[in-house]
């Protein structure tokens, strides 16, 4: 269409900026967001979007748009606030009884009322199914769930748990309809039904979901305000193809995950009409060990690896300013952070590592394979694991190789214990030190690890959860971290920053990805506000 210059009436001229400042509520165009997260239904994981199974950031980012939780993390972070609930709180001083009252008039997207019985059904379903993905561990302190009328639910806990409100804000506690989900069986495929701010349709390519279309749910009642009518989330095989789609205006924003090279280029020489935003991030990366595997069964082998690996050199080579070395499971800026691995092992020291192995009677070089996923954390992962294997091999104490596999193969194999050494990332379910400890060390944990430390499981983790003031739990977390550094069931490597790139007309970008890497698509709009 040819564009002609128009002379607008004065009223229209004054009105135009006001319309633009509304953030695009009247704009019917879908906002398109790119992601490198992969959504695949396989024989080992046929129900990737069932809240009783889903336990990765990509899947949770689908569920957060569609399934309500009693509480949610507010814009800008902080303690959870009511979402599907009208009010929630502990009804005792011991943090063992938690009561929530639902908002009036809540319905699922199909118009069916949301009741306290649906909440009870949803929580009990997760605990009954108890999938091998570690999801149910988040609700391990739930003893019984009681309903009082149609709109009140009481959670009776088996131990004090000051972190319980945070857990109720995660998709594992998503409210489902017992008419749409079976009590004892996972729901296979990619369909999701809920009462969240959006309804969803999915476009598939074989066993993969390629595109999710979220449409504003007219029946939604809750704390979230959607600043758009429709959002698409489009999956890309890699950051490069996602970047090209942004440049060609096929998408409006790219989030998880930009490559280090993209961040550098867009920051130093930004493309016209595109801006990069750094948002706070709490992602960590680490090596995990199957402590029953013959290669790494002896603690001395894991300790020697901790002595050899040079985190600073690794970060500088692969990630540059987008990451920093990590010497603890708990990252900096989280209460309880310390540097136990640095305190225990100091700077990389091959001589010290050699002594550890010699004192344990272990013959060198120790042959190890470092397993990693090729398509889950970004394009630099292969380079990272090649660098680690070279560091280990250069010490002459190890004969190390790196081996990659697609996430759909890697994760089931890791849970089965097929890998002696493997690399994983962790994006917190909620920003509390408990969520960097329990998923790795508590019973029914995310790693499905054979490592058990009874002092940590039976004494220290429960003690840490008694403290409503989370800073008061720091001494307990210090004890736990010292044990981790001594036994090395996991080996922290680095913590990362987060970036999003978006077209300049998009608003709300700075709020669309929070510290837990949750995509809050309802924050996005078009305009100048």
């Amino acid at each position: 269409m040819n564009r002609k210059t128009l002379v607008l009436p004065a009223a229209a001229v004054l009105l135009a900026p006001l319309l633009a400042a509304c953030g695009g509520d009247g704009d019917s165009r879908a906002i398109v967001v790119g992601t490198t997260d992969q959504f695949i239904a396989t024989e080992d994981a046929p129900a990737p979007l069932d809240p009783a199974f889903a336990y990765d950031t990509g899947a949770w980012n689908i569920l957060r748009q569609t399934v309500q939780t009693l509480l949610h993390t507010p814009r800008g972070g902080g303690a959870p606030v009511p979402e599907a609930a009208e009010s929630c709180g502990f009804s005792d001083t011991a943090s063992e009884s938690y009561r929530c009252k639902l908002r009036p008039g809540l319905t699922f997207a199909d118009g069916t009322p949301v009741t306290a019985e649906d909440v009870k059904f949803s929580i009990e379903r997760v605990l009954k199914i108890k999938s091998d993905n570690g999801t149910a561990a988040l609700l391990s302190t739930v003893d019984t769930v009681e309903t009082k009328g149609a709109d009140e639910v009481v959670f009776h806990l088996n131990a004090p748990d000051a972190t319980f409100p945070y857990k109720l804000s995660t998709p594992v506690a998503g409210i489902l309809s017992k008419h749409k989900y079976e009590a004892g069986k996972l729901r296979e495929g990619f369909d999701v039904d809920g009462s969240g701010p959006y309804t969803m349709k999915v476009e598939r390519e074989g066993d993969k979901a390629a595109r999710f279309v979220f449409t504003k749910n007219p029946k939604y009642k809750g704390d979230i305000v959607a600043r758009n009518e429709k959002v698409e989330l489009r999956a890309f095989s890699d950051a490069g193809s996602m970047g090209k789609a942004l440049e060609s205006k096929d998408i409006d924003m790219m989030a998880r995950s930009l490559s280090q090279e993209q961040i550098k280029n867009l920051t130093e020489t930004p493309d016209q009409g595109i801006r990069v935003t750094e948002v706070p991030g709490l992602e960590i990366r680490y090596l995990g060990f199957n402590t029953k595997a013959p290669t790494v069964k002896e603690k001395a082998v894991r300790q020697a690896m901790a002595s050899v690996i040079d985190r600073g050199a690794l970060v500088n080579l692969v990630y540059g300013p987008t990451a920093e070395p990590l010497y603890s499971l708990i990252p900096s800026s989280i209460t309880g952070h310390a540097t136990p691995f640095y305190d225990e092992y100091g700077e990389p020291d091959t001589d010290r590592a050699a002594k550890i192995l010699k004192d344990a009677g272990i013959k060198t070089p120790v042959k190890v394979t470092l397993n990693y996923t090729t398509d889950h954390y970004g394009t630099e992962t292969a380079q990272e694991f090649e660098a680690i294997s070279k560091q280990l091999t250069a010490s002459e104490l190890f004969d190390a190789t790196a081996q990659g596999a697609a996430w759909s193969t890697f994760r089931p194999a890791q849970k089965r214990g097929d890998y002696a050494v493997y690399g994983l990332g962790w994006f917190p379910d909620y920003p509390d030190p408990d969520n960097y400890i329990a998923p790795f060390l508590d019973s029914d944990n995310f790693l499905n690890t054979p490592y058990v430390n009874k002092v940590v499981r039976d004494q220290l983790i429960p003690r840490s959860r008694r403290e409503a003031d989370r800073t008061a739990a720091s001494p307990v977390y210090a004890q736990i971290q010292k044990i981790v550094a001594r036994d090395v069931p996991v080996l922290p490597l680095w913590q990362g920053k987060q970036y999003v790139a978006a077209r300049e007309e998009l608003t709300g970008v700075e709020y669309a990805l929070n510290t837990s890497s949750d995509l809050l698509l309802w924050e996005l709009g078009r305009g100048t506000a």
Side-chain angles (χ1 to χ4, degrees):
M1 179 176 71
N2 291 329
R3 177 170 297 188
K4 297 182 179 179
T5 302
L6 300 177
V7 179
L8 298 176
V13 174
L14 292 172
L15 182 61
L18 296 176
L19 292 175
C22 292
D25 286 338
D27 195 332
S28 60
R29 292 178 297 157
I31 294 171
V32 186
V33 177
T35 179
T36 56
D37 287 320
Q38 301 298 300
F39 307 92
I40 306 174
T42 66
E43 185 176 345
D44 289 310
L49 298 182
D50 190 314
F53 178 85
Y55 204 5
D56 66 84
T57 304
W60 275 21
N61 282 338
I62 303 300
L63 294 173
R64 288 187 188 279
Q65 323 306 319
T66 51
V67 178
Q68 262 187 305
T69 47
L70 290 168
L71 301 148
H72 78 123
T73 302
R75 173 197 274 191
V81 297
E83 208 283 83
E86 181 178 73
S87 62
C88 282
F90 284 105
S91 54
D92 67 338
T93 57
S95 299
E96 290 184 313
S97 180
Y98 196 77
R99 186 182 300 258
C100 291
K101 184 175 182 180
L102 295 175
R103 292 178 185 270
L106 282 181
T107 68
F108 291 104
D110 65 0
T112 306
V114 175
T115 68
E117 281 296 330
D118 292 304
V119 178
K120 175 181 168 71
F121 164 79
S122 303
I123 299 297
E124 291 179 342
R125 178 177 180 270
V126 172
L127 295 171
K128 180 177 182 179
I129 291 175
K130 199 176 182 180
S131 81
D132 67 353
N133 217 23
T135 321
L138 276 174
L139 302 176
S140 63
T141 55
V142 174
D143 186 17
T144 59
V145 185
E146 177 187 6
T147 58
K148 292 182 178 293
D151 63 353
E152 197 167 352
V153 60
V154 182
F155 301 93
H156 299 285
L157 308 183
N158 53 35
D161 187 1
T163 69
F164 190 65
Y166 288 95
K167 295 169 181 176
L168 286 183
S169 72
T170 67
V172 68
I175 304 170
L176 308 176
S177 169
K178 57 188 174 185
H179 302 297
K180 297 290 181 70
Y181 290 80
E182 294 185 43
K185 183 181 178 182
L186 292 172
R187 184 179 186 177
E188 298 184 3
F190 298 106
D191 292 332
V192 178
D193 288 285
S195 56
Y198 295 100
T199 58
M200 184 197 79
K201 291 185 178 179
V202 60
E203 293 182 15
R204 301 170 176 82
E205 292 179 358
D207 60 354
K208 295 183 179 182
R211 182 191 312 229
F212 297 91
V213 180
F214 301 102
T215 303
K216 192 173 180 179
N217 177 9
K219 293 185 171 61
Y220 171 74
K221 289 184 175 65
D223 186 56
I224 292 167
V225 176
R227 291 167 169 80
N228 56 67
E229 295 294 325
K230 183 179 289 188
V231 186
E232 293 182 14
L233 186 65
R234 198 175 297 175
F236 291 86
S237 59
D238 54 65
S241 57
M242 180 170 63
K244 290 178 181 177
L246 183 65
E247 292 171 7
S248 63
K249 299 185 180 181
D250 287 339
I251 64 175
D252 300 294
M253 182 178 114
M254 57 180 185
R256 287 178 29 90
S257 295
L258 282 69
S259 69
Q260 192 268 342
E261 182 181 3
Q262 285 176 321
I263 295 165
K264 182 176 183 292
N265 291 341
L266 288 171
T267 302
E268 294 179 355
T269 55
D271 286 358
Q272 187 176 3
I274 297 174
R275 70 180 186 273
V276 176
T277 303
E278 180 183 340
V279 292
L282 296 171
E283 169 192 7
I284 68 170
R285 297 286 179 88
Y286 58 94
L287 293 179
F289 299 94
N290 175 358
T291 53
K292 285 188 176 180
T295 308
V296 296
K297 183 177 181 180
E298 295 297 328
K299 179 168 57 178
V301 175
R302 308 192 299 270
Q303 292 174 331
M305 292 178 71
S307 293
V308 168
I309 292 175
D310 188 334
R311 295 168 177 81
L314 175 67
V315 166
N316 288 336
L317 175 67
V318 182
Y319 295 101
T322 65
E324 60 186 64
L326 181 64
Y327 298 91
S328 163
L329 278 176
I330 301 174
S332 61
S333 79
I334 290 288
T335 299
H337 169 72
T339 57
F341 276 83
Y342 189 86
D343 300 340
E344 182 72 25
Y345 303 102
E347 297 292 341
D349 190 335
T350 299
D351 291 338
R352 174 172 180 154
K355 186 177 186 304
I356 291 172
L357 293 171
K358 183 178 179 181
D359 290 349
I362 294 171
K363 184 179 178 181
T364 59
V366 179
K367 189 175 180 62
V368 293
T369 300
L370 309 177
N371 295 274
Y372 65 92
T373 173
T374 57
D375 60 350
H376 198 66
Y377 298 120
T379 55
E380 292 92 355
T381 308
Q383 185 184 357
E384 175 186 352
F385 276 79
E386 284 296 331
I388 296 172
S389 65
K390 286 180 180 178
Q391 286 186 6
L392 292 171
T393 300
S395 72
E396 299 183 354
L397 301 173
F398 295 91
D399 177 8
T401 56
Q403 180 174 294
W407 179 254
S408 58
T409 299
F410 173 89
R411 176 64 171 146
Q414 180 269 315
K415 288 190 293 184
R416 288 194 303 266
D418 294 354
Y419 302 144
V421 188
Y422 51 87
L424 281 170
W426 184 253
F427 300 85
D429 307 323
Y430 46 91
D432 185 274
D434 178 79
N435 197 237
Y436 289 93
I437 297 296
F440 309 111
L441 304 173
D442 209 354
S443 57
D444 302 317
N445 58 68
F446 169 74
L447 298 179
N448 199 25
T449 177
Y451 172 80
V452 177
N453 186 294
K454 286 193 167 293
V455 172
V456 172
R457 284 193 184 183
D458 301 340
Q459 298 176 34
L460 297 180
I461 289 177
R463 190 187 307 169
S464 72
R465 290 171 174 166
R466 295 190 190 110
E467 301 291 351
D469 177 1
R470 302 308 289 148
T471 59
S474 292
V476 181
Y477 288 117
Q479 287 181 262
I480 294 172
Q481 291 178 87
K482 285 181 180 179
I483 292 171
V484 172
R486 182 195 68 208
D487 290 354
V488 200
V490 290
L491 176 56
L493 296 172
W494 55 268
Q495 69 177 84
K497 302 175 183 178
Q498 290 191 122
Y499 298 84
V500 294
R503 306 211 66 81
E504 288 181 343
E505 66 267 20
L506 215 60
T507 62
V509 173
E510 64 273 26
Y511 300 114
L513 192 68
N514 68 14
T515 56
S516 297
S517 296
D518 304 328
L519 268 178
L520 312 180
L521 297 179
W522 52 82
E523 295 285 2
L524 297 173
R526 295 188 194 275
T528 58

